[in-house]
Amino acid sequence: MQIKDLKVKEVVTLTVMIKSVNVGRTTAQKPYLKFEFVDQTGSVFANKWSVKPDELELFQAGQVVTVKGLVQLYNTQKQINIEAVSLVEGEVDYSQYVESSRFEKEALKASLSTFLDEMNPGYYREIVNYFLNKYEEEFYVHPAASRMHHAFMSGLAQHVYEMLKMGSAYCDLYPMVNRDLLYAGIILHDMGKLFEMSYENCIKTEYTLEGLMIGHINMMVSMIDDVSKELGYSGEEVLFLKHMVISHHGKLEWGSPKEPMIIEAELLHYLDVVSAKMTAIEVALRHCEAGQMSDRIPMLDHRRFYHHD
């Protein structure tokens, strides 16, 4: 059984990976364990209310465990009331328990290569190739976020692919959009997340100290500055690309130091939002059966969506 197959009011047994585990306290101040479990099909929260003293230190993120418990609803979301949980002994293929993009890594590489071929020779194509070549291994396995959207293996590359696919159509529709600038902004806008978040053994995503204190936007702008100088470029082209990264969240209150001031930056912001929200809905619907409502989706104001045929 996998997480996507969980049904409310059923007692289930499944093998999953621990994404996070914390010790909580009941109103009576008794300790209990709060888990988040993951497999290739999704994630689920679980509580073990009856805990032996040695269990408080036994479990940690990245371990694979077998869990037995009752599936219940809490605030309209499924969770497991754990009866028993035990470590899986012996060698484990961790990739079998990590949620991943629905696109194969090699397919994403081939697709991005096609879009790069559409770019004209010059600064934007050179700097994109520089970053993709230098950080290729990390780029094609890293998630795009820790939780909100594309929070799975190869999520960052899928996010970029979706935006390029949509962006290409908009460039055809609106010829005044600079395709090279838009593509470069799409590919680089979130690449700072490679350094903002660690993705240890493709198992758990945690913010780095630099990520917490500086953030992916500021880190990427600094890197664009350094690489542009190394490649021998300066002036408006560099300025426009940095502006794309700085403004892609769209609003000051959403984390952008500046709001979009060129058409490509405005479009980049909308493509970012559409890709993030549509994939969040897609993932939520994948985890519920047809004829049912999804779990609440945090980035869509905690709304639920109906899974219709």
Side-chain angles (χ1 to χ4, degrees), residues 245-306:
V245 175
I246 283 174
S247 64
H248 78 265
H249 285 177
K251 294 181 180 294
L252 303 180
E253 58 266 33
W254 293 348
S256 275
K258 290 290 182 181
E259 295 180 348
M261 297 181 189
I262 54 178
I263 189 171
E264 294 83 4
E266 184 76 2
L267 180 55
L268 172 65
H269 165 61
Y270 290 127
L271 296 174
D272 190 27
V273 170
V274 171
S275 171
K277 290 189 174 183
M278 290 300 292
T279 297
I281 296 171
E282 179 191 43
V283 170
L285 293 180
R286 195 188 305 156
H287 297 161
C288 72
E289 298 178 1
Q292 294 184 349
M293 297 294 292
S294 73
D295 290 341
R296 296 189 181 276
I297 305 175
M299 76 174 308
L300 283 109
D301 304 317
H302 294 276
R303 285 180 283 137
R304 302 169 71 195
F305 283 74
Y306 183 70

Side-chain angles (χ1 to χ4, degrees), residues 112-162:
L112 261 67
S113 179
T114 300
F115 288 109
L116 287 172
D117 289 342
E118 296 179 18
M119 298 178 69
N120 293 306
Y123 169 66
Y124 295 127
R125 184 166 176 167
E126 282 186 43
I127 193 166
V128 164
N129 276 320
Y130 177 97
F131 279 106
L132 286 179
N133 289 334
K134 184 169 184 178
Y135 301 109
E136 178 182 23
E137 183 177 349
E138 300 93 329
F139 178 79
Y140 285 102
V141 299
H142 212 277
S146 62
R147 186 172 298 276
M148 296 297 280
H149 72 91
H150 296 85
F152 43 75
M153 184 186 290
S154 300
L156 178 57
Q158 178 180 323
H159 180 45
V160 166
Y161 165 70
E162 291 169 355

Side-chain angles (χ1 to χ4, degrees), residues 34 42 51 53 59 67 107 161 180 218 254 264 273 287 298:
K34 302 185 292 182
V51 182
F59 302 106
V67 180
Y161 165 70
D180 296 336
N218 293 323
W254 293 348
E264 294 83 4
V273 170
H287 297 161

